[in-house]
Amino acid sequence: MSNAVEQIGKVELGSGGPLVGVQGFGAMGISAAYGQTDDAAARDTLEATVEAGVTLIDTADMYGVGANEEFLAPFVAAHRDEITLATKFGIEYRADDPSYRAIRNDPGYIKTAVEASLRRLDVEVIDLYYMHRRDPAVPLAESVGAMADLVREGKVKHLGLSEVTGAELREAHAVHPIAALQTEWSVFSRDVERSAVGAAAALGVAFVPYSPLGRGFLTGAFTDASTELSTSDFRQLLPRFSGDNAKANAALLAPLHKIAAHRGATTAQIALAWVQQRAQVHGLTVVPIPGTRKRSRLLENAAATRIVLTAEELALLEPIAGQVAGERYSDMSLTSAAREG
């Protein structure tokens, strides 16, 4: 079967970073956040990543309160030399208290968090270690300094940040080279273009867009989270995907459907192609990390790396983000957009 799958191209993840597939894989949904999961299908989907050359595998310690890292461990062990493993710290949940959440960037917590992730993933070193969210109360130099210590100790190879502004990225990069910046970026969400994208391009930092498919909304997987998705599905909490907002936003997808129909492609592939072409538009490396629980969708997403949209098609998609109703999160305080000033 592996011989029948066309592998995607590769790119360096930031200056001096690892060589990875031009599209990565967001593993959160295979065991967390989006309702009931099928372990066998998830394992098969993970195998498909390697077959397709999708080598950047992204998780976090908060996904399933550690369960996502544990679920990935057997796959990682089987393919350790073929993949680039990324995980994150910074959002603290507790299995014994579902209501508890804290943002932790203090050096002592970072040292504890990395040991726990190494144990759950059953690896000796993490290829790319992200600070998941920024706590402005902790000086960035202290947090990145503690992360740099992990590199010197051989527990981490490369450093990443998530949801930081351009100014924060520059400040962090001055302490220790940052390989990748991960923040939401899609045809629906473009606030990162205010400062973060330009800073990443100037510094040689790769951009890793999460939710490049609008958490499934851009693919037509659902049209109203409040009526179509289970109560355990995280998307019910996101303002733009329910009620009047969802109805208004669905109407914005007409150009996406038009382009997809004309090309004989899916809306997911057109949305991913748009994100991928941000690399040429802004002059930086872009490695989106769509997630899926199905092998067929994984291969469909990977095929999007071979689609190049025309100037006319890009122009049709250009106005969408500015018309989206509702915020990315019900509480935007932890996003880079909230600190743009």
Side-chain angles (χ1 to χ4, degrees), residues 53-70:
V54 176
T55 59
L56 177 63
I57 309 298
D58 182 273
T59 183
D61 60 5
M62 66 157 284
Y63 299 160
V65 197
N68 197 254
E69 290 181 327
E70 292 174 346

Side-chain angles (χ1 to χ4, degrees), residues 254-302:
L256 206 63
H257 288 288
K258 179 180 178 181
I259 296 168
H262 178 72
R263 283 181 168 264
T266 65
T267 55
Q269 289 175 322
I270 300 306
L272 286 170
W274 182 91
V275 175
Q276 289 154 191
Q277 280 178 249
R278 300 304 93 191
Q280 288 73 49
V281 172
H282 295 281
L284 78 169
T285 298
V286 177
V287 182
I289 49 169
T292 181
R293 296 172 176 179
K294 297 179 180 178
R295 165 184 283 269
S296 61
R297 295 298 187 198
L298 185 284
L299 299 179
E300 173 189 315
N301 291 346

Side-chain angles (χ1 to χ4, degrees), residues 110-284:
I110 294 171
K111 294 179 186 301
T112 300
V114 75
E115 295 297 342
S117 286
L118 288 167
R119 183 178 65 254
R120 286 189 293 263
L121 290 162
D122 194 23
V123 295
E124 294 183 356
V125 61
I126 294 165
D127 300 318
L128 176 61
Y129 199 43
Y130 287 101
M131 185 171 76
H132 205 165
R133 290 293 186 271
R134 170 90 204 280
D135 176 6
V138 179
L140 196 54
E142 288 187 16
S143 302
V144 179
M147 295 169 72
D149 287 342
L150 303 180
V151 176
R152 286 187 283 271
E153 294 166 7
K155 296 173 181 177
V156 169
K157 291 183 180 179
H158 304 281
L159 302 185
L161 299 172
S162 179
E163 289 283 1
V164 299
T165 67
E168 290 167 339
L169 178 60
R170 291 177 187 277
E171 181 182 351
H173 195 74
V175 176
H176 186 280
I178 303 299
L181 170 59
Q182 180 179 143
T183 303
E184 186 167 355
W185 198 10
S186 74
V187 71
F188 250 39
S189 299
R190 298 178 60 178
D191 53 78
V192 293
E193 295 173 24
R194 295 176 196 164
S195 71
V197 170
L203 297 170
V205 175
F207 208 104
V208 178
Y210 73 77
S211 299
L213 297 176
R215 303 184 187 275
F217 192 79
L218 299 178
T219 74
F222 68 100
T223 57
D224 189 330
S226 63
T227 59
E228 298 172 43
L229 303 181
S230 71
T231 55
S232 62
D233 195 306
F234 165 69
R235 290 170 290 188
Q236 285 210 354
L237 304 176
L238 306 180
R240 59 180 50 169
F241 298 141
S242 294
D244 289 342
N245 285 349
K247 184 176 181 180
N249 292 336
L252 298 177
L253 301 182
L256 206 63
H257 288 288
K258 179 180 178 181
I259 296 168
H262 178 72
R263 283 181 168 264
T266 65
T267 55
Q269 289 175 322
I270 300 306
L272 286 170
W274 182 91
V275 175
Q276 289 154 191
Q277 280 178 249
R278 300 304 93 191
Q280 288 73 49
V281 172
H282 295 281
L284 78 169

